[in-house]
Amino acid sequence: MTEILNYINGELRKPGTDAWLDNVNPATGKVYSQIPDSDAGDVEAATKAATDAFRQWSVTPVKQRSDLLLRLSALIQQNLAKFAEAESIDNGKPITLATQVDIPRAVSNFHFYGTAALHTHTQAHAMENTALNYTLRQPAGVAGCISPWNLPLYLFSWKIAPALAAGCTVVAKPSEVTPMTAYLLSELCIEAGFPKGVLNIVHGLGTRAGAAIVEHPGIRLISFTGGTKTGEWISRTAAPMFKKLSLELGGKNPGLVFADCDLDHAVSSSLKAAFSNQGEICLCSSRIFIEKTIYDKFRDAFVKKAAAMKVGDPMNPETKTGAIVSKTHYEKILSCIELARQEGGQILCGGEPVKMSGDNAGGYFIQPTVIEHLPHDCRTNQEEIFGPVVTLLPFEKEEEAIAMANSTRYGLAATLFTTNLNRAHRVAAKLDSGIVWVNCWLLRDLRTPFGGMKQSGMGREGGFEALNFFTEEKNVCIKIS
Ligand code: NAD
């Protein structure tokens, strides 16, 4: 059975205590590899390596850093099929999605930051004949990067690439639920010729290895993507050490469908927004508000398509809906569906586990589930489920839809379907949401700052914002007369 290894100081290593965790394939329920159960000792070794490497890496010409990131990007591209298969087995996501979306986006992240770092600039302010003020941006130090399981390599690379491009060295921890692509990445870092200690990958539990990264005084900044509760703990722990923090957290994203929309497009886009990756994308819509005059029409078309979505073996290229990532998460989603029933929700389709056969008999599969007749303020419509479960709610007035959409503690993403240009701008401005998609979903230029409002996070990643996050600003004022 494959043993996934830590990547510390340029070497692949077993955990110091030789303790291991099982890695389960969620489509079969079977253990298929072992993960290091790393502890504070491993994090200490990784931080020491990163601290030593920082002295050289932080002053390495940006062109050399860029070349390495571009080489890594090209290597992932060359190994795309291997990465996609690993991600699909780890996560349960359809292999087609991993091949067409997740892995190509990781390739783009390394490419984007490898080139973006070449084009940074800084500001200068001249005080006529008296002085010149300018801002230096210098790499902030050792960065801690912690990522979740839903888009394993994509979100891992989303943090690591800008950190390395900015001249930071990194101690990173992928999710213990989906560690395989980060392991494959460490092998490629060796092949690409990364100097030792520049990137260190420590595998293991959040509460052990992850917590040790957050608590380590030598790690100057934390870039975290995951749940709001974990983010809260990270904030509390890191604040007394004045660490720089970027937190990308949970969501309960609304979709707003107005009667003046292109109905067929709104139905098919909302379906993608609700159920892509089994609803396990932080940007998935989970509450769809529909103008009353088209409610029945939208609901009937949406439910017909959702009911026809076939759940299948993630390794089959035809499969569009795969397995839920883990047994724990599968049970959580089923308990959320049960709560929706108790709250008076009517299940229009799905709502049950799917019994599969053959190798997939022990896997965790749930049919896309659509629910109606729930008030906007019940628990089902307020708490994040993070699975293939969506509720439909009618509204009469624009203001009412906005108020219901904004009624949760989250503010990550929203979709809006209308052909009325004035309404599109007006409603987008009023939604509590880090990103609003009008007549589309999941489109984004990598230069656009990304992040959530309210309890969906703090700080912005993406584009130059991410490069700036990984640097410290120093202002110099030089007297010239
Ligand atoms: P999680 O918070 O349980 O875990 C995320 C990562 O943090 C994992 O690597 C985990 O091991 C680690 N971790 C857990 N406890 C820790 C601790 N005490 N200290 C340090 N690290 C710790 O989240 P998850 O279940 O892996 O991911 C799902 C969540 O992520 C959902 O809430 C989803 O909305 C959110 N998410 C947000 C975004 C975004 O961009 N806002 C993107 C993807 C996922």
Side-chain angles (χ1 to χ4, degrees):
M1 190 173 296
T2 309
E3 273 185 359
I4 287 174
L5 298 171
N6 288 333
Y7 173 52
I8 297 176
N9 206 26
E11 293 166 1
L12 297 174
R13 291 190 195 169
K14 291 186 175 194
T17 56
D18 207 20
W20 300 87
L21 303 162
D22 287 340
N23 189 21
V24 176
N25 174 345
T28 62
K30 293 191 180 126
V31 175
Y32 83 102
S33 65
Q34 295 288 303
I35 318 164
D37 183 5
S38 306
D39 66 4
D42 300 295
V43 170
E44 180 59 42
T47 309
K48 181 173 181 324
T51 307
D52 291 347
F54 182 71
R55 278 189 283 280
Q56 189 53 46
W57 185 249
S58 58
V59 293
T60 295
V62 68
K63 173 72 170 60
Q64 281 180 35
R65 298 203 298 255
S66 164
D67 286 348
L68 273 171
L69 289 170
L70 296 182
R71 203 172 303 151
L72 190 56
S73 170
L75 282 171
I76 303 169
Q77 177 67 40
Q78 282 165 27
N79 289 279
L80 197 147
K82 185 174 169 189
F83 272 88
E85 187 182 310
E87 185 142 314
S88 179
I89 293 173
D90 249 7
N91 177 275
K93 72 176 62 207
I95 189 144
T96 308
L97 190 69
T99 308
Q100 291 176 359
V101 180
D102 291 52
I103 307 304
R105 284 190 172 205
V107 171
S108 300
N109 283 343
F110 283 111
H111 193 273
F112 178 84
Y113 284 107
T115 52
L118 296 171
H119 304 288
T120 54
H121 65 277
T122 179
Q123 284 177 313
H125 305 281
M127 297 170 72
E128 288 76 38
N129 295 327
T130 319
L132 183 65
N133 298 251
Y134 61 90
T135 304
L136 279 178
R137 287 199 168 277
Q138 296 172 317
V142 178
C145 297
I146 302 176
S147 57
W149 47 256
N150 61 327
L151 304 164
L153 188 66
Y154 171 50
L155 290 174
F156 196 59
S157 58
W158 178 239
K159 305 178 165 306
I160 288 169
L164 296 175
C168 288
T169 53
V170 173
V171 177
K173 195 196 86 62
S175 170
E176 62 275 29
V177 184
T178 53
M180 191 57 94
T181 46
Y183 175 54
L184 297 180
L185 184 76
S186 55
E187 293 182 329
L188 291 191
C189 286
I190 295 170
E191 189 177 338
F194 268 70
K196 61 181 191 176
V198 163
L199 173 63
N200 303 275
I201 301 176
V202 181
H203 292 273
L205 297 172
T207 46
R208 202 187 329 269
I213 292 174
V214 177
E215 287 165 343
H216 200 295
I219 295 180
R220 292 304 316 138
L221 60 175
I222 302 289
S223 171
F224 169 79
T225 300
T228 294
K229 209 157 173 261
T230 315
E232 228 178 275
W233 182 86
I234 290 176
S235 291
R236 264 204 313 276
T237 309
M241 288 178 273
F242 301 97
K243 292 192 184 199
K244 270 180 109 176
L245 280 185
S246 166
L247 303 173
E248 300 294 343
L249 309 176
K252 187 74 183 172
N253 307 312
L256 278 66
V257 183
F258 288 91
D260 56 25
C261 71
D262 170 342
L263 191 69
D264 289 346
H265 175 67
V267 168
S268 58
S269 293
S270 300
L271 205 78
K272 258 198 213 152
F275 298 123
S276 291
N277 202 38
Q278 301 72 245
E280 296 167 334
I281 299 180
C282 54
L283 304 166
C284 279
S285 300
S286 52
R287 303 171 292 151
I288 305 182
F289 300 96
I290 305 135
E291 195 164 346
K292 215 168 183 173
T293 51
I294 58 159
Y295 182 85
D296 289 358
K297 243 178 158 177
F298 180 96
R299 178 199 55 203
D300 294 349
F302 187 87
V303 170
K304 192 171 167 204
K305 288 193 173 200
M309 288 177 80
K310 213 170 146 306
V311 174
D313 180 358
M315 300 313 286
N316 180 344
E318 301 298 315
T319 296
K320 298 245 166 38
T321 307
I324 301 300
V325 73
S326 67
K327 184 160 192 275
T328 317
H329 195 54
Y330 164 83
E331 285 167 356
K332 180 205 150 176
I333 296 169
L334 290 176
S335 76
C336 290
I337 295 172
E338 185 47 36
L339 173 68
R341 283 197 182 92
Q342 286 166 17
E343 288 185 316
Q346 186 178 345
I347 313 279
L348 299 173
C349 69
E352 302 293 340
V354 179
K355 288 279 155 253
M356 304 283 280
S357 56
D359 282 352
N360 299 122
Y364 319 124
F365 296 87
I366 299 177
Q367 182 65 32
T369 299
V370 185
I371 307 172
E372 69 170 355
H373 292 159
L374 282 171
H376 76 276
D377 55 357
C378 68
R379 280 182 59 197
T380 301
N381 277 325
Q382 292 289 314
E383 296 172 9
E384 185 182 46
I385 298 173
F386 212 50
V389 181
V390 69
T391 57
L392 305 183
L393 300 96
F395 70 85
E396 282 183 30
K397 298 217 157 58
E398 185 179 298
E399 286 305 322
E400 181 196 0
I402 295 168
M404 290 194 291
N406 287 345
S407 69
T408 73
R409 64 183 178 134
Y410 298 108
L412 190 57
T415 53
L416 171 53
F417 293 95
T418 177
T419 50
N420 177 330
L421 188 63
N422 292 345
R423 190 201 301 278
H425 288 294
R426 188 170 62 232
V427 175
K430 288 183 186 168
L431 287 170
D432 295 346
S433 183
I435 187 163
V436 178
W437 278 293
V438 181
N439 297 325
C440 61
W441 178 70
L442 212 62
L443 273 178
R444 196 168 53 83
D445 188 309
L446 283 177
R447 289 168 294 186
T448 312
F450 174 83
M453 293 169 68
K454 303 197 305 198
Q455 292 186 26
S456 287
M458 55 181 266
R460 288 288 177 270
E461 297 189 343
F464 287 100
E465 310 267 342
L467 287 176
N468 291 344
F469 172 73
F470 290 107
T471 60
E472 291 285 12
E473 230 178 56
K474 182 187 290 171
N475 292 300
V476 179
C477 177
I478 179 161
K479 195 162 182 306
I480 57 173
S481 71

